Amino acid sequence: MADSSEQQARSLLSAGAVRARAGQMLEIGLAGGLNHFTIDLGRMDGVADAVVAVTRKAYPTLDIPFHARWRHFVLGGVDRWARLANANSWPDRAARARAEFDLAIVSVLLDAGAGAVWRYRDTATGRGIGRSEGLAIASLDMFAAGLFSGDDRAPFRVDADVIARLPLSALASAFQASDANPLLGLEGRTDLLRRLGRQVAERPDIFGLRDTPRPGGLFDHIAAQANDGTIAAPAILSAVLNQLGPIWPSRLELAGIPLGDCWRHPAITADDATSGLIPLHKLSQWLSYSLIEPLQRAGLEVTDIDGLTGLAEYRNGGLFVDHEVLRLRDAADIERAHAVDSLLVVEWRALTVALLDRLADSIRVKLGRSPESLPLASILEGGTWAAGRAIAFARRPDGAPPLKVISDGTVF
């Protein structure tokens, strides 16, 4: 029985489970069965038009990259990481891929909400950069300076033993955080990196196949699963969830397996121990999207990119609330702050994932593109995230999401 329970738990650590259960939530909502939201699909065409408009403006040729951390390393038209990487002498393509996995994993883990006040002063341009873009440039500068490396001669690496004992003061200084420039969740970020270091150090069979244990060793673990040089994108997510899952703060577990970004909702049904559970895996999927390009540069072909799902976060979710595809049953909920595990937030995030699939179909029709030529990862980048931010600023001067969520910085 324990084996089957563990199998059931691991079934939730997949993009397929996210898509299936989000779809179930949408069907329940369309039948009027949700407590917090009603759904008006008649407004979806207007959402598609809004996304197409921002996409054409940002990418006139429709040559749209994936929604990935790499986009945030481009500042003023200069791709900071590409410039560093191209100037470096790599022994082979796999060595660069390990470094890029190192950078992507650490940068994504450091990318919880920064708060509205914090800014990172970029030494190259003198600009103060906030939010996700500021966190990205800060993390790239730390990586390039060798903050996470145990070898002074090789800065472009993250060593497990170094981050396992990373001082809070080192991260605070690197982020330029102070009483005058407060960064939310600094302790949580530091703790997450230390937990990553310990997990990587404890699993040299995964993270130390070709080098001393480092997060970038996940590249070798994934590359070893390739068939004829190809790897399916959902397999990247599976590796991220199964190998990095233990680093997250403890939430739900099933058969001793930590389920990560997975939540309870009584409307979700199954005929096994996973009944009432809905996985979303937002950060892990964003990380998985960010690992596709290093794998491609290393010579692997990544297939089934649309096997991953849209991201259950507040820009994509806000797009549907602000365009009134999703309407609150209780208008007073707009003023309240909601816990991330509340049924309202769980419904909102799951509906977002399912609606993004429908929206993607409509956008492809309008642009005359196929899923192969315009995968969901590019629609998110083009795209839904930017359109969600645009309407947020049009509706509210500070660009805040339409619903207030109390987050610990490890979900959004």
Side-chain angles (χ1 to χ4, degrees):
M1 179 61 195
D3 285 350
S4 73
S5 293
E6 182 175 333
Q7 217 167 5
Q8 290 163 21
R10 291 207 184 276
S11 76
L12 295 172
L13 302 179
S14 70
V18 175
R19 180 164 272 122
R21 300 209 171 183
Q24 193 182 133
M25 189 79 83
L26 180 60
E27 292 307 314
I28 294 163
L30 290 172
L34 294 179
N35 290 335
H36 297 285
F37 290 97
T38 60
I39 303 162
D40 181 0
L41 290 182
R43 301 187 70 85
M44 284 285 278
D45 195 57
V47 182
D49 285 338
V51 175
V52 165
V54 299
T55 300
R56 284 193 181 281
K57 186 176 178 184
Y59 299 99
T61 64
L62 298 183
D63 183 17
I64 310 165
F66 299 146
H67 188 60
R69 193 52 163 165
W70 308 106
R71 310 290 81 79
H72 289 151
F73 297 142
V74 179
L75 197 62
V78 176
D79 187 330
R80 297 278 181 92
W81 168 245
R83 193 169 63 180
L84 289 168
N86 292 338
N88 194 55
S89 178
W90 304 101
D92 52 35
R93 289 193 294 184
R96 175 169 173 167
R98 279 180 215 110
E100 291 181 335
F101 267 55
D102 275 340
L103 173 57
I105 291 169
V106 166
S107 188
V108 166
L109 293 185
L110 289 172
D111 190 41
V117 177
W118 177 82
R119 292 288 183 277
Y120 181 71
R121 179 71 55 191
D122 175 41
T123 51
T125 62
R127 280 176 53 193
I129 314 161
R131 300 192 184 272
S132 195
E133 292 85 349
L135 293 169
I137 295 297
S139 66
L140 176 58
D141 285 349
M142 293 175 211
F143 181 74
L147 181 65
F148 312 119
S149 171
D151 182 349
D152 291 341
R153 297 158 303 167
F156 297 164
R157 58 182 294 122
V158 176
D159 285 301
D161 58 341
V162 173
I163 58 170
R165 56 174 195 270
L166 189 71
L168 174 66
S169 59
L171 211 54
S173 173
F175 272 127
Q176 304 170 358
S178 65
D179 291 344
N181 190 34
L183 176 62
L184 295 183
L186 192 55
E187 293 83 356
R189 288 170 221 268
T190 308
D191 183 56
L192 199 56
L193 284 195
R194 289 173 182 161
R195 291 163 71 113
L196 172 67
R198 291 195 294 271
Q199 170 69 7
V200 168
E202 286 167 12
R203 295 301 306 271
D205 56 318
I206 300 292
F207 297 100
L209 294 172
R210 298 283 183 274
D211 198 344
T212 51
R214 56 190 289 195
L218 192 65
F219 164 76
D220 299 295
H221 174 72
I222 291 173
Q225 298 173 41
N227 281 321
D228 293 328
T230 67
I231 189 89
I236 302 172
L237 177 65
S238 181
V240 166
L241 289 171
N242 282 286
Q243 307 308 334
L244 299 180
I247 74 172
W248 296 103
S250 183
R251 291 198 191 96
L252 297 180
E253 288 191 359
L254 183 59
I257 306 294
L259 300 179
D261 185 4
C262 181
W263 310 91
R264 293 194 189 281
H265 196 290
I268 300 298
T269 56
D271 57 6
D272 63 16
T274 67
S275 190
L277 296 174
I278 178 149
L280 295 163
H281 303 315
K282 181 260 167 177
L283 265 181
S284 294
Q285 292 209 78
W286 191 48
L287 176 55
S288 298
Y289 280 127
S290 301
L291 298 180
I292 292 173
E293 289 160 73
L295 287 162
Q296 291 174 328
R297 275 192 286 273
L300 291 159
E301 182 186 354
V302 180
T303 58
D304 192 19
I305 289 167
D306 271 4
L308 299 176
T309 77
L311 302 180
E313 49 81 49
Y314 66 79
R315 288 303 184 206
N316 289 319
L319 180 70
F320 297 114
V321 173
D322 280 334
H323 279 280
E324 298 177 24
V325 173
L326 297 178
R327 291 191 177 120
L328 290 165
R329 289 189 181 273
D330 181 357
D333 276 332
I334 209 87
E335 300 302 329
R336 299 183 182 116
H338 306 277
V340 77
D341 62 349
S342 66
L343 295 189
L344 182 146
V345 172
V346 174
E347 286 178 14
W348 182 33
R349 298 182 71 211
L351 292 169
T352 296
V353 170
L355 289 169
L356 284 168
D357 276 344
R358 292 200 176 208
L359 184 62
D361 290 338
S362 178
I363 289 167
R364 289 181 188 120
V365 169
K366 289 178 183 289
L367 293 175
R369 291 298 181 97
S370 66
E372 292 73 30
S373 63
L374 189 62
L376 182 58
S378 297
I379 290 173
L380 295 172
E381 177 60 26
T384 59
W385 192 92
R389 180 152 78 170
I391 194 166
F393 275 99
R395 294 284 178 95
R396 292 167 295 280
D398 64 351
L403 300 175
K404 300 182 182 78
V405 178
I406 306 161
S407 175
D408 64 0
T410 63
V411 176
F412 292 108

